[in-house]
Amino acid sequence: MSCELCTQTGGELLWQGERCRVVYVEERGYPGYCRVVWQAHVKEMTDLADDERLHLMEVVFAVEAVLREQLDPEKINLASLGNLVPHIHWHVIPRHTDDPHFPQPIWATAQRAAARTREHPDTAALASAIAASLD
Amino acid sequence: MSCELCTQTGGELLWQGERCRVVYVEERGYPGYCRVVWQAHVKEMTDLADDERLHLMEVVFAVEAVLREQLDPEKINLASLGNLVPHIHWHVIPRHTDDPHFPQPIWATAQRAAARTREHPDTAALASAIAASLD
């Protein structure tokens, strides 16, 4: 079996522990988009042990808190889908009213072009804040 | 402020506690689609206290476990978006390879018509299993 989240980091590595990692997803129109990836190849959240699930969600919410503090988005979107890559990963997506799909999910049809005023944040600052929260 | 999740149940009520409720979403092509709705009007997961967030996720994962056991989906999709209705609610969506959007998220462009063979499950059985897990 070849799984891209088993063989690749999946983005710029911001933080990692033994059980999961946080990566930055450089997606046009979505500054601050991160994913939290479980290190082992596990398909569903309810395949994890209770303490593993708790730990993973703590990391997801730590990333949410850092993104809210640093980017002040209109809304945070959280999702664990995995239909294409059935290896647990959480999307943590800061949304702004002028982003390409707002108020629709980012997987829907785009409503407008990406706002030119929003640039990707300093990933070193994100990494540092996530580490301060988790380490 | 008028919020539809403050004024309406949001679907057929399957279970409720003081802090959150589980409702059934009767969406064509998506048997088993449930939402877990926080009772109070709160916008983001990181606006909740730690124990509230933990409780809500326990309910989400209890629903995931029941849906997996009763419907044997190819994948579970979990999402908390709230761009249109900024009142915390989790989508818990059993996915099948022949559902209208698989392997895309349900918010993307449909890939095919809904499979005729999949009917909505007995919501009383879902409610009973969720209650057995949570009460």
Side-chain angles (χ1 to χ4, degrees), chain A residues 43-47 53-54 57 61 64-65 68 74-84 86 90 95 102-105 107-109, chain B residues 43-47 53-54 57 61 64-65 68 74-84 90 95 102-105 107-109:
Chain A
K43 187 171 180 178
E44 302 282 13
M45 289 299 291
T46 47
D47 291 330
R53 198 158 50 232
L54 183 63
M57 295 316 299
F61 297 128
E64 170 176 313
R68 288 183 73 188
E74 174 66 22
K75 188 71 190 68
I76 290 284
N77 287 179
L78 302 173
S80 170
L81 307 174
N83 306 319
L84 282 163
W90 280 87
R95 302 297 308 274
F102 198 90
Q104 298 303 316
W107 303 282
T109 303
Chain B
K43 187 170 179 177
E44 302 282 13
M45 288 300 292
T46 47
D47 291 329
R53 199 158 50 232
L54 184 62
M57 296 315 299
F61 297 129
E64 171 176 312
R68 290 183 71 188
E74 174 65 23
K75 189 71 190 67
I76 290 285
N77 288 179
L78 301 174
S80 171
L81 308 174
N83 306 320
L84 282 163
W90 280 88
R95 302 297 309 272
F102 199 90
Q104 298 303 318
W107 304 283
T109 304

Short mmCIF file of all heavy atoms in Angstrom, two decimals, chain A residues 43-47 53-54 57 61 64-65 68 74-84 86 90 95 102-105 107-109, chain B residues 43-47 53-54 57 61 64-65 68 74-84 90 95 102-105 107-109:
data_model
loop_
_atom_site.label_atom_id
_atom_site.label_comp_id
_atom_site.label_asym_id
_atom_site.label_seq_id
_atom_site.Cartn_x
_atom_site.Cartn_y
_atom_site.Cartn_z
N LYS A 43 -7.04 4.89 9.91
CA LYS A 43 -8.09 5.42 9.02
C LYS A 43 -9.09 6.34 9.70
O LYS A 43 -9.41 7.42 9.21
CB LYS A 43 -8.82 4.23 8.38
CG LYS A 43 -9.82 4.61 7.30
CD LYS A 43 -10.30 3.34 6.59
CE LYS A 43 -11.31 3.65 5.50
NZ LYS A 43 -11.73 2.43 4.80
N GLU A 44 -9.63 5.90 10.83
CA GLU A 44 -10.73 6.64 11.45
C GLU A 44 -10.36 7.07 12.87
O GLU A 44 -9.62 6.38 13.56
CB GLU A 44 -11.99 5.76 11.54
CG GLU A 44 -12.51 5.23 10.21
CD GLU A 44 -13.28 6.27 9.39
OE1 GLU A 44 -13.23 7.48 9.70
OE2 GLU A 44 -13.93 5.85 8.42
N MET A 45 -10.96 8.17 13.32
CA MET A 45 -10.72 8.63 14.69
C MET A 45 -11.08 7.56 15.72
O MET A 45 -10.40 7.42 16.74
CB MET A 45 -11.52 9.91 14.95
CG MET A 45 -11.01 11.13 14.22
SD MET A 45 -9.31 11.59 14.67
CE MET A 45 -9.51 12.13 16.37
N THR A 46 -12.16 6.83 15.45
CA THR A 46 -12.57 5.79 16.41
C THR A 46 -11.75 4.50 16.26
O THR A 46 -12.03 3.52 16.93
CB THR A 46 -14.09 5.50 16.30
OG1 THR A 46 -14.44 5.35 14.92
CG2 THR A 46 -14.88 6.65 16.90
N ASP A 47 -10.73 4.52 15.42
CA ASP A 47 -9.74 3.43 15.43
C ASP A 47 -8.62 3.73 16.42
O ASP A 47 -7.80 2.85 16.72
CB ASP A 47 -9.12 3.24 14.04
CG ASP A 47 -10.10 2.67 13.03
OD1 ASP A 47 -11.00 1.91 13.43
OD2 ASP A 47 -9.95 2.99 11.83
N ARG A 53 -6.73 9.73 20.72
CA ARG A 53 -7.75 10.63 20.13
C ARG A 53 -7.72 11.97 20.88
O ARG A 53 -7.77 13.03 20.27
CB ARG A 53 -9.10 9.96 20.26
CG ARG A 53 -10.15 10.52 19.37
CD ARG A 53 -11.27 9.51 19.13
NE ARG A 53 -11.80 8.93 20.34
CZ ARG A 53 -11.94 7.64 20.57
NH1 ARG A 53 -11.58 6.75 19.67
NH2 ARG A 53 -12.45 7.20 21.69
N LEU A 54 -7.65 11.88 22.19
CA LEU A 54 -7.61 13.09 23.02
C LEU A 54 -6.38 13.94 22.68
O LEU A 54 -6.47 15.16 22.51
CB LEU A 54 -7.57 12.66 24.48
CG LEU A 54 -7.60 13.75 25.53
CD1 LEU A 54 -8.90 14.54 25.45
CD2 LEU A 54 -7.48 13.12 26.93
N MET A 57 -6.75 15.65 19.25
CA MET A 57 -7.67 16.81 19.28
C MET A 57 -7.04 17.98 20.04
O MET A 57 -7.27 19.14 19.69
CB MET A 57 -9.01 16.43 19.89
CG MET A 57 -9.82 15.41 19.08
SD MET A 57 -9.88 15.66 17.27
CE MET A 57 -10.68 17.27 17.13
N PHE A 61 -6.75 21.66 18.42
CA PHE A 61 -7.29 22.88 19.05
C PHE A 61 -6.16 23.86 19.41
O PHE A 61 -6.38 25.08 19.41
CB PHE A 61 -8.17 22.54 20.25
CG PHE A 61 -9.40 21.75 19.85
CD1 PHE A 61 -9.71 20.55 20.48
CD2 PHE A 61 -10.22 22.19 18.82
CE1 PHE A 61 -10.83 19.81 20.10
CE2 PHE A 61 -11.34 21.46 18.42
CZ PHE A 61 -11.65 20.26 19.07
N GLU A 64 -5.70 25.64 16.18
CA GLU A 64 -6.82 26.59 16.02
C GLU A 64 -6.56 27.86 16.84
O GLU A 64 -6.73 28.98 16.35
CB GLU A 64 -8.15 25.96 16.46
CG GLU A 64 -9.27 26.97 16.52
CD GLU A 64 -10.66 26.41 16.86
OE1 GLU A 64 -11.06 25.41 16.24
OE2 GLU A 64 -11.36 26.99 17.72
N ALA A 65 -6.15 27.69 18.09
CA ALA A 65 -5.94 28.84 18.98
C ALA A 65 -4.83 29.75 18.45
O ALA A 65 -4.96 30.98 18.44
CB ALA A 65 -5.61 28.36 20.39
N ARG A 68 -6.09 31.62 15.34
CA ARG A 68 -7.01 32.71 15.70
C ARG A 68 -6.23 33.90 16.24
O ARG A 68 -6.53 35.05 15.91
CB ARG A 68 -8.01 32.24 16.77
CG ARG A 68 -9.04 31.27 16.22
CD ARG A 68 -10.05 30.88 17.30
NE ARG A 68 -10.97 31.98 17.61
CZ ARG A 68 -11.83 31.95 18.62
NH1 ARG A 68 -11.88 30.90 19.44
NH2 ARG A 68 -12.64 32.97 18.82
N GLU A 74 -12.34 35.27 10.31
CA GLU A 74 -13.78 35.37 10.56
C GLU A 74 -14.29 34.08 11.20
O GLU A 74 -15.16 34.10 12.06
CB GLU A 74 -14.50 35.59 9.21
CG GLU A 74 -16.00 35.55 9.28
CD GLU A 74 -16.58 36.72 10.08
OE1 GLU A 74 -15.88 37.75 10.23
OE2 GLU A 74 -17.72 36.60 10.56
N LYS A 75 -13.71 32.92 10.76
CA LYS A 75 -14.16 31.62 11.26
C LYS A 75 -13.03 30.63 11.07
O LYS A 75 -12.22 30.79 10.15
CB LYS A 75 -15.40 31.18 10.45
CG LYS A 75 -16.12 29.95 10.94
CD LYS A 75 -16.86 30.20 12.23
CE LYS A 75 -17.39 28.91 12.86
NZ LYS A 75 -16.32 28.03 13.37
N ILE A 76 -13.00 29.64 11.93
CA ILE A 76 -12.11 28.49 11.72
C ILE A 76 -12.94 27.33 11.18
O ILE A 76 -14.03 27.07 11.68
CB ILE A 76 -11.44 28.06 13.05
CG1 ILE A 76 -10.42 29.11 13.52
CG2 ILE A 76 -10.79 26.68 12.91
CD1 ILE A 76 -9.09 29.13 12.78
N ASN A 77 -12.43 26.66 10.16
CA ASN A 77 -13.06 25.42 9.69
C ASN A 77 -12.17 24.25 10.06
O ASN A 77 -10.95 24.28 9.82
CB ASN A 77 -13.24 25.43 8.17
CG ASN A 77 -14.33 26.37 7.66
OD1 ASN A 77 -14.54 26.45 6.46
ND2 ASN A 77 -15.02 27.07 8.55
N LEU A 78 -12.78 23.22 10.61
CA LEU A 78 -12.08 21.99 10.99
C LEU A 78 -12.70 20.83 10.22
O LEU A 78 -13.93 20.73 10.16
CB LEU A 78 -12.24 21.71 12.49
CG LEU A 78 -11.76 22.79 13.45
CD1 LEU A 78 -12.15 22.41 14.88
CD2 LEU A 78 -10.25 22.96 13.34
N ALA A 79 -11.87 19.95 9.69
CA ALA A 79 -12.44 18.79 9.00
C ALA A 79 -11.46 17.64 8.96
O ALA A 79 -10.26 17.83 8.74
CB ALA A 79 -12.86 19.15 7.58
N SER A 80 -12.00 16.44 9.17
CA SER A 80 -11.26 15.20 8.97
C SER A 80 -12.07 14.39 7.97
O SER A 80 -13.16 13.90 8.30
CB SER A 80 -11.14 14.45 10.30
OG SER A 80 -10.65 13.15 10.09
N LEU A 81 -11.58 14.32 6.74
CA LEU A 81 -12.34 13.68 5.66
C LEU A 81 -11.65 12.36 5.28
O LEU A 81 -12.07 11.30 5.69
CB LEU A 81 -12.47 14.64 4.48
CG LEU A 81 -13.04 16.04 4.84
CD1 LEU A 81 -13.00 16.98 3.65
CD2 LEU A 81 -14.44 15.96 5.41
N GLY A 82 -10.59 12.44 4.48
CA GLY A 82 -9.78 11.24 4.23
C GLY A 82 -10.38 10.25 3.25
O GLY A 82 -10.03 9.08 3.27
N ASN A 83 -11.27 10.73 2.38
CA ASN A 83 -11.83 9.81 1.38
C ASN A 83 -10.78 9.41 0.36
O ASN A 83 -10.76 8.28 -0.10
CB ASN A 83 -13.00 10.49 0.65
CG ASN A 83 -14.04 11.02 1.62
OD1 ASN A 83 -14.37 10.36 2.60
ND2 ASN A 83 -14.55 12.21 1.37
N LEU A 84 -9.91 10.35 0.02
CA LEU A 84 -8.85 10.07 -0.95
C LEU A 84 -7.61 9.51 -0.28
O LEU A 84 -6.92 8.67 -0.84
CB LEU A 84 -8.49 11.35 -1.72
CG LEU A 84 -9.49 11.74 -2.82
CD1 LEU A 84 -9.30 13.18 -3.24
CD2 LEU A 84 -9.31 10.82 -4.03
N PRO A 86 -6.91 7.84 3.14
CA PRO A 86 -7.51 7.37 4.40
C PRO A 86 -6.47 7.15 5.50
O PRO A 86 -6.28 6.04 6.01
CB PRO A 86 -8.21 6.07 3.99
CG PRO A 86 -7.40 5.57 2.83
CD PRO A 86 -6.89 6.79 2.11
N TRP A 90 -6.26 16.22 9.96
CA TRP A 90 -7.26 17.26 10.20
C TRP A 90 -6.87 18.52 9.44
O TRP A 90 -5.74 18.99 9.53
CB TRP A 90 -7.33 17.59 11.70
CG TRP A 90 -8.15 16.59 12.44
CD1 TRP A 90 -7.73 15.41 12.98
CD2 TRP A 90 -9.55 16.67 12.71
NE1 TRP A 90 -8.79 14.75 13.56
CE2 TRP A 90 -9.92 15.51 13.40
CE3 TRP A 90 -10.54 17.62 12.41
CZ2 TRP A 90 -11.22 15.25 13.83
CZ3 TRP A 90 -11.85 17.37 12.83
CH2 TRP A 90 -12.18 16.20 13.53
N ARG A 95 -10.76 31.09 7.90
CA ARG A 95 -11.59 31.62 6.82
C ARG A 95 -11.80 33.13 7.00
O ARG A 95 -11.92 33.61 8.13
CB ARG A 95 -12.96 30.90 6.83
CG ARG A 95 -12.89 29.38 6.67
CD ARG A 95 -12.29 28.97 5.33
NE ARG A 95 -12.96 29.62 4.21
CZ ARG A 95 -14.07 29.15 3.62
NH1 ARG A 95 -14.59 28.01 4.03
NH2 ARG A 95 -14.62 29.81 2.61
N PHE A 102 -15.70 31.79 0.68
CA PHE A 102 -16.57 32.17 1.80
C PHE A 102 -17.94 32.60 1.31
O PHE A 102 -18.02 33.37 0.34
CB PHE A 102 -15.92 33.32 2.61
CG PHE A 102 -16.52 33.46 3.98
CD1 PHE A 102 -15.98 32.77 5.05
CD2 PHE A 102 -17.63 34.26 4.19
CE1 PHE A 102 -16.54 32.87 6.32
CE2 PHE A 102 -18.20 34.35 5.46
CZ PHE A 102 -17.65 33.67 6.52
N PRO A 103 -19.08 32.22 1.93
CA PRO A 103 -19.16 31.42 3.16
C PRO A 103 -19.25 29.92 2.90
O PRO A 103 -19.56 29.16 3.81
CB PRO A 103 -20.47 31.93 3.78
CG PRO A 103 -21.35 32.19 2.58
CD PRO A 103 -20.41 32.68 1.50
N GLN A 104 -19.00 29.49 1.69
CA GLN A 104 -19.06 28.06 1.39
C GLN A 104 -17.80 27.35 1.89
O GLN A 104 -16.76 27.99 2.08
CB GLN A 104 -19.19 27.85 -0.12
CG GLN A 104 -20.46 28.45 -0.71
CD GLN A 104 -21.70 27.92 -0.05
OE1 GLN A 104 -21.83 26.72 0.19
NE2 GLN A 104 -22.64 28.81 0.31
N PRO A 105 -17.86 26.03 2.05
CA PRO A 105 -16.65 25.26 2.37
C PRO A 105 -15.62 25.42 1.24
O PRO A 105 -16.00 25.67 0.09
CB PRO A 105 -17.16 23.82 2.43
CG PRO A 105 -18.64 23.93 2.69
CD PRO A 105 -19.08 25.18 1.99
N TRP A 107 -14.17 23.38 -0.41
CA TRP A 107 -14.26 22.34 -1.42
C TRP A 107 -15.39 22.61 -2.41
O TRP A 107 -15.58 21.88 -3.37
CB TRP A 107 -14.44 20.97 -0.75
CG TRP A 107 -13.32 20.69 0.20
CD1 TRP A 107 -12.06 20.29 -0.13
CD2 TRP A 107 -13.34 20.84 1.62
NE1 TRP A 107 -11.30 20.18 1.00
CE2 TRP A 107 -12.05 20.50 2.10
CE3 TRP A 107 -14.32 21.22 2.55
CZ2 TRP A 107 -11.72 20.53 3.45
CZ3 TRP A 107 -13.99 21.25 3.90
CH2 TRP A 107 -12.70 20.91 4.33
N ALA A 108 -16.18 23.65 -2.15
CA ALA A 108 -17.29 24.00 -3.04
C ALA A 108 -16.77 24.83 -4.21
O ALA A 108 -15.56 25.07 -4.34
CB ALA A 108 -18.35 24.78 -2.25
N THR A 109 -17.66 25.28 -5.07
CA THR A 109 -17.29 26.12 -6.20
C THR A 109 -16.82 27.49 -5.68
O THR A 109 -17.44 28.05 -4.78
CB THR A 109 -18.52 26.32 -7.11
OG1 THR A 109 -18.98 25.02 -7.50
CG2 THR A 109 -18.18 27.12 -8.35
N LYS B 43 -19.31 30.20 19.05
CA LYS B 43 -18.84 30.22 17.65
C LYS B 43 -17.74 29.21 17.34
O LYS B 43 -17.81 28.49 16.36
CB LYS B 43 -18.34 31.64 17.34
CG LYS B 43 -17.99 31.88 15.88
CD LYS B 43 -17.73 33.37 15.64
CE LYS B 43 -17.36 33.67 14.21
NZ LYS B 43 -17.18 35.13 13.98
N GLU B 44 -16.71 29.18 18.18
CA GLU B 44 -15.54 28.37 17.86
C GLU B 44 -15.28 27.33 18.96
O GLU B 44 -15.55 27.57 20.13
CB GLU B 44 -14.28 29.24 17.75
CG GLU B 44 -14.36 30.35 16.70
CD GLU B 44 -14.14 29.86 15.26
OE1 GLU B 44 -14.17 28.63 15.01
OE2 GLU B 44 -13.96 30.72 14.39
N MET B 45 -14.66 26.23 18.58
CA MET B 45 -14.32 25.18 19.55
C MET B 45 -13.42 25.74 20.66
O MET B 45 -13.56 25.35 21.83
CB MET B 45 -13.62 24.01 18.85
CG MET B 45 -14.53 23.17 17.99
SD MET B 45 -15.89 22.39 18.90
CE MET B 45 -15.00 21.20 19.93
N THR B 46 -12.51 26.64 20.29
CA THR B 46 -11.61 27.19 21.30
C THR B 46 -12.26 28.33 22.10
O THR B 46 -11.60 28.95 22.93
CB THR B 46 -10.27 27.66 20.67
OG1 THR B 46 -10.55 28.42 19.50
CG2 THR B 46 -9.42 26.46 20.29
N ASP B 47 -13.54 28.57 21.89
CA ASP B 47 -14.31 29.43 22.80
C ASP B 47 -14.90 28.61 23.96
O ASP B 47 -15.38 29.18 24.93
CB ASP B 47 -15.46 30.13 22.07
CG ASP B 47 -14.97 31.18 21.08
OD1 ASP B 47 -13.91 31.79 21.33
OD2 ASP B 47 -15.67 31.40 20.07
N ARG B 53 -15.29 21.20 25.60
CA ARG B 53 -14.75 20.74 24.31
C ARG B 53 -14.57 19.21 24.33
O ARG B 53 -14.92 18.52 23.37
CB ARG B 53 -13.40 21.44 24.09
CG ARG B 53 -12.94 21.44 22.69
CD ARG B 53 -11.94 22.55 22.43
NE ARG B 53 -10.88 22.60 23.40
CZ ARG B 53 -10.52 23.69 24.07
NH1 ARG B 53 -11.15 24.83 23.90
NH2 ARG B 53 -9.53 23.65 24.92
N LEU B 54 -14.05 18.73 25.43
CA LEU B 54 -13.85 17.28 25.58
C LEU B 54 -15.18 16.54 25.50
O LEU B 54 -15.31 15.52 24.80
CB LEU B 54 -13.19 17.03 26.94
CG LEU B 54 -12.80 15.61 27.29
CD1 LEU B 54 -11.77 15.09 26.31
CD2 LEU B 54 -12.22 15.57 28.71
N MET B 57 -16.56 16.50 21.91
CA MET B 57 -15.86 15.55 21.03
C MET B 57 -16.20 14.11 21.41
O MET B 57 -16.28 13.24 20.53
CB MET B 57 -14.35 15.78 21.06
CG MET B 57 -13.90 17.13 20.51
SD MET B 57 -14.66 17.68 18.95
CE MET B 57 -14.17 16.40 17.79
N PHE B 61 -17.57 11.47 18.67
CA PHE B 61 -16.96 10.17 18.41
C PHE B 61 -17.89 9.02 18.77
O PHE B 61 -17.83 7.95 18.15
CB PHE B 61 -15.60 10.07 19.11
CG PHE B 61 -14.60 11.07 18.59
CD1 PHE B 61 -13.89 11.90 19.46
CD2 PHE B 61 -14.37 11.20 17.23
CE1 PHE B 61 -12.98 12.84 18.97
CE2 PHE B 61 -13.47 12.14 16.73
CZ PHE B 61 -12.77 12.95 17.61
N GLU B 64 -19.93 8.75 15.69
CA GLU B 64 -19.11 8.08 14.66
C GLU B 64 -19.11 6.56 14.88
O GLU B 64 -19.30 5.79 13.93
CB GLU B 64 -17.67 8.61 14.67
CG GLU B 64 -16.74 7.78 13.78
CD GLU B 64 -15.31 8.30 13.68
OE1 GLU B 64 -15.12 9.51 13.44
OE2 GLU B 64 -14.36 7.48 13.79
N ALA B 65 -18.91 6.14 16.10
CA ALA B 65 -18.83 4.70 16.41
C ALA B 65 -20.15 4.00 16.09
O ALA B 65 -20.16 2.90 15.51
CB ALA B 65 -18.43 4.50 17.87
N ARG B 68 -20.61 3.78 12.28
CA ARG B 68 -19.74 2.74 11.69
C ARG B 68 -20.32 1.36 11.95
O ARG B 68 -20.32 0.50 11.06
CB ARG B 68 -18.32 2.82 12.28
CG ARG B 68 -17.56 4.05 11.83
CD ARG B 68 -16.14 4.04 12.38
NE ARG B 68 -15.30 3.02 11.73
CZ ARG B 68 -14.08 2.69 12.14
NH1 ARG B 68 -13.55 3.30 13.22
NH2 ARG B 68 -13.38 1.78 11.50
N GLU B 74 -17.67 3.35 3.98
CA GLU B 74 -16.29 3.30 3.48
C GLU B 74 -15.42 4.24 4.32
O GLU B 74 -14.26 3.94 4.63
CB GLU B 74 -16.27 3.77 2.02
CG GLU B 74 -14.90 3.91 1.40
CD GLU B 74 -14.17 2.59 1.29
OE1 GLU B 74 -14.83 1.52 1.26
OE2 GLU B 74 -12.92 2.61 1.23
N LYS B 75 -15.99 5.38 4.72
CA LYS B 75 -15.24 6.40 5.48
C LYS B 75 -16.23 7.25 6.26
O LYS B 75 -17.37 7.40 5.84
CB LYS B 75 -14.46 7.29 4.48
CG LYS B 75 -13.47 8.25 5.09
CD LYS B 75 -12.24 7.56 5.65
CE LYS B 75 -11.37 8.51 6.47
NZ LYS B 75 -12.01 8.96 7.71
N ILE B 76 -15.77 7.79 7.37
CA ILE B 76 -16.54 8.80 8.11
C ILE B 76 -15.91 10.16 7.81
O ILE B 76 -14.68 10.30 7.84
CB ILE B 76 -16.49 8.53 9.62
CG1 ILE B 76 -17.29 7.28 10.00
CG2 ILE B 76 -16.98 9.75 10.40
CD1 ILE B 76 -18.81 7.43 9.99
N ASN B 77 -16.73 11.14 7.52
CA ASN B 77 -16.26 12.52 7.39
C ASN B 77 -16.75 13.32 8.58
O ASN B 77 -17.94 13.27 8.92
CB ASN B 77 -16.78 13.18 6.11
CG ASN B 77 -16.14 12.66 4.83
OD1 ASN B 77 -16.49 13.10 3.75
ND2 ASN B 77 -15.20 11.71 4.92
N LEU B 78 -15.84 14.07 9.19
CA LEU B 78 -16.18 14.94 10.33
C LEU B 78 -15.84 16.38 9.94
O LEU B 78 -14.77 16.63 9.39
CB LEU B 78 -15.33 14.56 11.55
CG LEU B 78 -15.46 13.13 12.06
CD1 LEU B 78 -14.43 12.89 13.18
CD2 LEU B 78 -16.86 12.83 12.56
N ALA B 79 -16.73 17.30 10.27
CA ALA B 79 -16.41 18.70 9.97
C ALA B 79 -17.18 19.64 10.87
O ALA B 79 -18.35 19.43 11.16
CB ALA B 79 -16.70 19.02 8.51
N SER B 80 -16.49 20.68 11.29
CA SER B 80 -17.08 21.80 12.00
C SER B 80 -16.73 23.05 11.20
O SER B 80 -15.57 23.47 11.19
CB SER B 80 -16.51 21.88 13.42
OG SER B 80 -16.91 23.09 14.05
N LEU B 81 -17.69 23.60 10.50
CA LEU B 81 -17.43 24.72 9.58
C LEU B 81 -18.08 25.98 10.15
O LEU B 81 -17.42 26.82 10.73
CB LEU B 81 -17.94 24.36 8.18
CG LEU B 81 -17.45 23.01 7.62
CD1 LEU B 81 -18.10 22.67 6.30
CD2 LEU B 81 -15.94 22.97 7.48
N GLY B 82 -19.39 26.13 9.96
CA GLY B 82 -20.10 27.23 10.63
C GLY B 82 -19.89 28.60 10.02
O GLY B 82 -20.07 29.61 10.68
N ASN B 83 -19.53 28.64 8.73
CA ASN B 83 -19.38 29.95 8.09
C ASN B 83 -20.73 30.64 7.94
O ASN B 83 -20.83 31.86 8.07
CB ASN B 83 -18.74 29.78 6.71
CG ASN B 83 -17.45 29.01 6.78
OD1 ASN B 83 -16.66 29.20 7.69
ND2 ASN B 83 -17.23 28.10 5.85
N LEU B 84 -21.76 29.85 7.64
CA LEU B 84 -23.10 30.41 7.47
C LEU B 84 -23.85 30.50 8.80
O LEU B 84 -24.62 31.42 9.01
CB LEU B 84 -23.90 29.55 6.48
CG LEU B 84 -23.55 29.78 5.01
CD1 LEU B 84 -24.07 28.64 4.14
CD2 LEU B 84 -24.14 31.11 4.52
N TRP B 90 -21.19 19.94 14.57
CA TRP B 90 -20.31 19.00 13.88
C TRP B 90 -21.13 18.16 12.91
O TRP B 90 -22.14 17.58 13.28
CB TRP B 90 -19.62 18.07 14.88
CG TRP B 90 -18.45 18.74 15.53
CD1 TRP B 90 -18.46 19.52 16.65
CD2 TRP B 90 -17.10 18.71 15.08
NE1 TRP B 90 -17.20 19.98 16.91
CE2 TRP B 90 -16.34 19.49 15.98
CE3 TRP B 90 -16.45 18.09 14.00
CZ2 TRP B 90 -14.95 19.67 15.82
CZ3 TRP B 90 -15.08 18.27 13.85
CH2 TRP B 90 -14.35 19.05 14.76
N ARG B 95 -19.72 7.95 4.59
CA ARG B 95 -19.50 8.03 3.14
C ARG B 95 -19.40 6.62 2.55
O ARG B 95 -18.83 5.72 3.15
CB ARG B 95 -18.20 8.81 2.84
CG ARG B 95 -18.17 10.23 3.41
CD ARG B 95 -19.25 11.13 2.80
NE ARG B 95 -19.23 11.09 1.34
CZ ARG B 95 -18.47 11.89 0.58
NH1 ARG B 95 -17.69 12.81 1.16
NH2 ARG B 95 -18.48 11.80 -0.74
N PHE B 102 -18.59 10.95 -3.60
CA PHE B 102 -17.36 10.21 -3.27
C PHE B 102 -16.41 10.20 -4.45
O PHE B 102 -16.84 9.98 -5.56
CB PHE B 102 -17.70 8.77 -2.84
CG PHE B 102 -16.59 8.12 -2.09
CD1 PHE B 102 -16.51 8.21 -0.71
CD2 PHE B 102 -15.59 7.43 -2.75
CE1 PHE B 102 -15.46 7.63 -0.01
CE2 PHE B 102 -14.53 6.87 -2.06
CZ PHE B 102 -14.46 6.97 -0.69
N PRO B 103 -15.08 10.38 -4.29
CA PRO B 103 -14.37 10.60 -3.01
C PRO B 103 -14.25 12.06 -2.62
O PRO B 103 -13.50 12.38 -1.72
CB PRO B 103 -12.98 10.01 -3.33
CG PRO B 103 -12.78 10.40 -4.77
CD PRO B 103 -14.15 10.30 -5.41
N GLN B 104 -14.98 12.94 -3.28
CA GLN B 104 -14.91 14.36 -2.93
C GLN B 104 -15.73 14.64 -1.67
O GLN B 104 -16.64 13.89 -1.33
CB GLN B 104 -15.44 15.21 -4.09
CG GLN B 104 -14.64 15.05 -5.38
CD GLN B 104 -13.18 15.39 -5.19
OE1 GLN B 104 -12.84 16.36 -4.52
NE2 GLN B 104 -12.28 14.55 -5.72
N PRO B 105 -15.46 15.76 -1.00
CA PRO B 105 -16.30 16.19 0.11
C PRO B 105 -17.74 16.41 -0.39
O PRO B 105 -17.94 16.70 -1.57
CB PRO B 105 -15.67 17.52 0.55
CG PRO B 105 -14.26 17.46 0.06
CD PRO B 105 -14.32 16.68 -1.23
N TRP B 107 -19.56 18.80 -0.15
CA TRP B 107 -19.81 20.19 -0.56
C TRP B 107 -19.26 20.49 -1.95
O TRP B 107 -19.45 21.58 -2.47
CB TRP B 107 -19.20 21.14 0.47
CG TRP B 107 -19.73 20.86 1.85
CD1 TRP B 107 -20.97 21.24 2.32
CD2 TRP B 107 -19.11 20.12 2.89
NE1 TRP B 107 -21.13 20.76 3.61
CE2 TRP B 107 -20.01 20.08 3.99
CE3 TRP B 107 -17.88 19.48 3.01
CZ2 TRP B 107 -19.71 19.43 5.19
CZ3 TRP B 107 -17.57 18.82 4.21
CH2 TRP B 107 -18.48 18.81 5.28
N ALA B 108 -18.56 19.52 -2.54
CA ALA B 108 -18.01 19.71 -3.88
C ALA B 108 -19.09 19.41 -4.93
O ALA B 108 -20.23 19.11 -4.60
CB ALA B 108 -16.80 18.79 -4.07
N THR B 109 -18.71 19.48 -6.18
CA THR B 109 -19.64 19.15 -7.27
C THR B 109 -19.97 17.65 -7.24
O THR B 109 -19.08 16.83 -7.05
CB THR B 109 -18.97 19.51 -8.62
OG1 THR B 109 -18.61 20.89 -8.57
CG2 THR B 109 -19.91 19.28 -9.79
#
